[in-house]
Amino acid sequence: MLKNNRTFSSFSANDIPRAKQFYAETLGLEVEEQMGGLALHLGAGADTFVYPKDDHVPATFTVLNFLVDDIDAAVDGLIEAGVAFERYEGEIETDEKGIARGPGGGPAIAWFKDPAGNILSVLQQ
């Protein structure tokens, strides 16, 4: 019934100007202000909408994943741009750069947060 409709995902932020600066300048995404929020124009024609929410609570799960060819290069570039990566110990272990290298047989992945505290990741294809 909905398989041919255009779709997009969304999540909230408590400071849209700060989010715009982060997504446009730090991550280098094409960002467009729409309906009081932000349309993030991602690769391959995908879009995500960031909407304002005064009582925003950061997501406790990954809201946006960026597939990369070389996770070390991506992490190094993001660190250079001022991004801090999350560190995990226990079931999922990250190395000194913040990369979990194939947890549970999965891809190498590194998590970081946007200014609203939402969790994002880069993961190697």
Side-chain angles (χ1 to χ4, degrees), residues 42-111:
L42 309 170
D47 291 332
T48 295
F49 187 70
V50 180
Y51 59 91
K53 187 173 181 193
D54 291 335
D55 62 347
H56 165 77
V57 175
T60 59
F61 53 88
T62 309
V63 297
L64 194 56
N65 297 287
F66 295 92
L67 295 172
V68 297
D69 292 327
D70 182 340
I71 195 160
D72 287 286
V75 166
D76 290 345
L78 288 167
I79 289 171
E80 195 172 297
V83 171
F85 283 85
E86 299 297 298
R87 306 274 198 233
Y88 297 110
E89 294 179 5
E91 187 176 332
I92 296 176
E93 296 270 342
T94 54
D95 64 16
E96 67 281 348
K97 290 171 106 175
I99 301 171
R101 300 201 182 262
I109 184 168
W111 295 272

